[in-house]
Amino acid sequence: MTTKHHGLNFIYCLIFPPIYLLGMLPYLIVNALVGRPLFFLSYTIFRYRYSVVLQNLSRALPLKSYLEIELLAKEFYLHLASMIVEIIRLFSISSHQQLKQVKLINPEVLEEYFKGGRNVIAVLGHYGNWECLNVLPLLLPFQVNAIYKPLSNPVMAKLVTRVRCRYGMQLIPAKHALRHLLRQTRQPQFSLFIADQFPGKQAKCQVDFLHQPTLMFNGAEKLARATNAVVVYLDMIPQDRCCWKISLSLITDTASTTTENLITHTFSSKLEQTIERHPAYWLWSHRRWKA
């Protein structure tokens, strides 16, 4: 093992125990120690990407007044701080506690596809707290995967992997997803795919999303068409503090025969409805619309 690897492991060992122990505390205490100071620093002191948040909100919600936009921005920073608290608690919270906070309200949508041995791709956005979906292996009969782009920071990557894989979720780098799904024939796969990130200026799929022309990543659609997977939209509905309802809606169960970009357009439309219902829970600090 190289000196660099030793150094990274040392940093991880310094960071992980305090986070784990902190996560064992009740939400109100963790929020007082971390959430409230984080909100104060990001919203009041450093104004973390505040201009980006205001610009994104204003462009996406043109009928809102400036005062409404400012209030939504504040709600977003409150949510961001709360999400950090939730993620800290995911390191050590028991499965029993987490199952109280994440409820899949319509698992019957998937029953016939599991019985038929069909793979399912669930598309979603950076909305709510997507990290709490690590509990899905306890709620579904499928092998649950998360298709992702590996993080460049190795320490952060190791921490994120620790949370996401606690209950049996498998992480699959996006570039290996097709090969993985084609090889897995023994058990149906349920694969999560966050599909609202900026895809790059060379992307060929453009949609009307949040009242503006938007380039949309269509990797999930390409994967579904190549494997004829069932595609569902995963909606996160905020409930009480730290609690989320998960709702699934069918996009298509005949992906290989759909017209090009239909799946991506349908996903963007459903995500837009989710965002407009409760705007503060989307990741507005992301530079989604780049010049």
Side-chain angles (χ1 to χ4, degrees):
M1 186 177 289
T2 66
T3 303
K4 181 179 180 180
H5 283 130
H6 279 299
L8 293 174
N9 285 334
F10 178 72
I11 295 172
Y12 175 80
C13 290
L14 282 179
I15 295 174
F16 175 72
I19 294 176
Y20 186 89
L21 293 173
L22 185 62
M24 297 178 69
L25 299 173
Y27 175 89
L28 290 177
I29 295 178
V30 183
N31 190 49
L33 293 173
V34 177
R36 291 178 185 173
L38 186 61
F39 166 72
F40 179 74
L41 290 172
S42 62
Y43 177 71
T44 306
I45 303 298
F46 297 112
R47 307 293 266 184
Y48 170 70
R49 291 194 174 182
Y50 189 69
S51 60
V52 175
V53 172
L54 285 185
Q55 184 181 62
N56 283 344
L57 281 166
S58 299
R59 292 173 61 174
L61 305 169
L63 298 181
K64 299 286 186 183
S65 67
Y66 186 74
L67 177 59
E68 289 175 310
I69 294 297
E70 285 188 315
L71 289 174
L72 280 173
K74 183 176 182 179
E75 287 180 38
F76 163 71
Y77 282 97
L78 284 168
H79 162 64
L80 194 61
S82 178
M83 188 172 74
I84 298 300
V85 172
E86 289 182 49
I87 291 173
I88 289 172
R89 298 190 73 237
L90 289 179
F91 280 91
S92 47
I93 190 174
S94 70
S95 59
H96 178 70
Q97 287 177 296
Q98 194 171 342
L99 286 170
K100 288 182 178 180
Q101 297 175 357
V102 180
K103 182 175 178 57
L104 179 58
I105 61 177
N106 58 342
E108 66 277 1
V109 170
L110 302 174
E111 286 179 4
E112 65 174 287
Y113 303 120
F114 177 75
K115 292 176 181 177
R118 299 286 305 277
N119 289 336
V120 177
I121 294 175
V123 287
L124 63 152
H126 286 91
Y127 186 89
N129 181 4
W130 53 92
E131 296 296 350
C132 72
L133 298 176
N134 69 336
V135 80
L136 283 180
L138 302 182
L139 297 172
L140 297 174
F142 292 80
Q143 165 60 47
V144 179
N145 310 314
I147 299 172
Y148 77 114
K149 181 179 179 181
L151 298 174
S152 58
N153 185 308
V155 175
M156 186 60 66
K158 195 170 182 178
L159 289 170
V160 168
T161 298
R162 179 90 183 209
V163 169
R164 292 178 179 174
C165 299
R166 278 191 70 190
Y167 305 113
M169 180 182 288
Q170 184 172 356
L171 301 184
I172 304 172
K175 64 180 180 180
H176 300 316
L178 177 59
R179 186 191 318 166
H180 174 87
L181 292 182
L182 290 174
R183 284 181 175 178
Q184 303 302 314
T185 58
R186 292 185 178 181
Q187 182 182 10
Q189 311 280 301
F190 182 90
S191 302
L192 297 165
F193 202 121
I194 297 181
D196 63 342
Q197 61 267 49
F198 181 69
K201 297 178 182 179
Q202 304 305 315
K204 295 181 180 179
C205 186
Q206 181 172 294
V207 301
D208 183 18
F209 178 63
L210 293 175
H211 307 283
Q212 54 203 306
T214 303
L215 294 175
M216 191 67 71
F217 187 62
N218 62 354
E221 174 170 344
K222 290 180 178 179
L223 183 61
R225 287 166 61 103
T227 60
N228 196 32
V230 178
V231 184
V232 299
Y233 173 67
L234 190 150
D235 192 3
M236 299 195 73
I237 305 167
Q239 299 300 297
D240 297 328
R241 183 183 63 238
C242 291
C243 295
W244 300 92
K245 283 186 178 180
I246 310 301
S247 176
L248 303 173
S249 58
L250 180 66
I251 291 180
T252 181
D253 56 7
T254 56
S256 62
T257 62
T258 57
T259 57
E260 186 176 5
N261 293 330
L262 175 65
I263 293 172
T264 304
H265 277 270
T266 305
F267 160 70
S268 67
S269 177
K270 287 180 175 291
L271 178 60
E272 182 177 76
Q273 293 172 28
T274 294
I275 294 169
E276 290 181 339
R277 184 182 63 223
H278 296 295
Y281 296 101
W282 196 47
L283 193 60
W284 295 104
S285 57
H286 179 54
R287 299 181 189 276
R288 182 58 185 83
W289 293 278
K290 299 183 182 182

